């Protein structure tokens, strides 16, 4: 058996290391699974603008969740509220937007919506005006 030349082996390793695997979750055009929230996860401002357009079309509010992976209160909200079937069911009546505040687009969105604390949940009308805001950890009830 012949061995691969070093350059070919290196190229295969680099390609394998650089191949992107998408995180699990519904695609933008798919119907959400019963036990999942169909989060919009914006990579750019245009993604949030599209969420507001979707909200206008469906005459629904936008629910913006500003979070960070390292944030204990954020993780508490994710594990105690966003996993509840009653919340998941209610999420069909609004456009849920999940913003990772540690990303450049998340920081820009934080400025746009005047968010400075983790976690922050903001309910907005389709025109972008604020209905209510909850900053910090909240109880499931």
């Amino acid at each position: 058996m012949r061995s691969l030349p070093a350059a070919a082996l290196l190229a295969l390793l680099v390609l394998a290391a650089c191949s992107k695997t998408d995180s699990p979750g519904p695609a933008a055009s798919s119907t959400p699974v019963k036990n999942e929230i169909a989060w919009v996860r914006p990579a750019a401002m245009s993604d949030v603008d599209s969420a507001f357009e979707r909200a206008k079309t469906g005459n629904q509010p936008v629910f913006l969740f500003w979070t960070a992976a390292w944030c204990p209160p954020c993780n508490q909200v994710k594990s105690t509220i966003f996993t509840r079937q009653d919340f998941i069911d209610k999420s069909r009546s609004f456009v849920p937007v999940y913003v990772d505040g540690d990303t450049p687009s998340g920081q820009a969105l934080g400025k746009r919506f005047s968010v400075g604390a983790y976690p922050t949940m903001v309910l907005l009308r389709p025109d972008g005006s604020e209905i209510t805001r909850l900053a910090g950890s909240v109880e499931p009830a």
Side-chain angles (χ1 to χ4, degrees):
M1 180 169 104
R2 292 180 55 191
S3 62
L4 289 173
L9 184 59
L10 180 61
L12 287 173
L13 289 173
V14 168
L15 285 173
C18 292
S19 66
K20 182 181 176 196
T21 57
D22 292 327
S23 60
S29 62
S30 70
T31 304
V33 177
K34 179 179 166 82
N35 294 324
E36 292 182 356
I37 297 171
W39 293 107
V40 173
R41 295 178 183 261
M45 288 288 189
S46 60
D47 296 331
V48 172
D49 294 337
S50 295
F52 276 99
E53 286 303 314
R54 190 172 118 202
K56 285 178 190 172
T57 300
N59 194 28
Q60 298 176 303
V62 172
F63 175 79
L64 184 123
F65 178 59
W66 202 63
T67 185
W70 52 264
C71 167
C74 301
N75 292 326
Q76 187 249 347
V77 167
K78 289 183 240 180
S79 67
T80 61
I81 296 174
F82 296 164
T83 58
R84 290 174 52 138
Q85 191 61 50
D86 59 339
F87 186 87
I88 294 167
D89 293 342
K90 287 182 191 297
S91 76
R92 308 294 182 253
S93 64
F94 53 79
V95 179
V97 178
Y98 185 101
V99 179
D100 181 348
D102 284 341
T103 64
S105 63
Q107 288 294 302
L109 288 166
K111 288 178 186 171
R112 176 177 172 180
F113 295 104
S114 301
V115 177
Y118 293 103
T120 297
M121 292 162 271
V122 185
L123 191 62
L124 303 141
R125 291 179 186 88
D127 67 4
S129 60
E130 189 171 314
I131 298 170
T132 192
R133 171 181 301 249
L134 293 169
S137 185
V138 294
E139 292 301 314

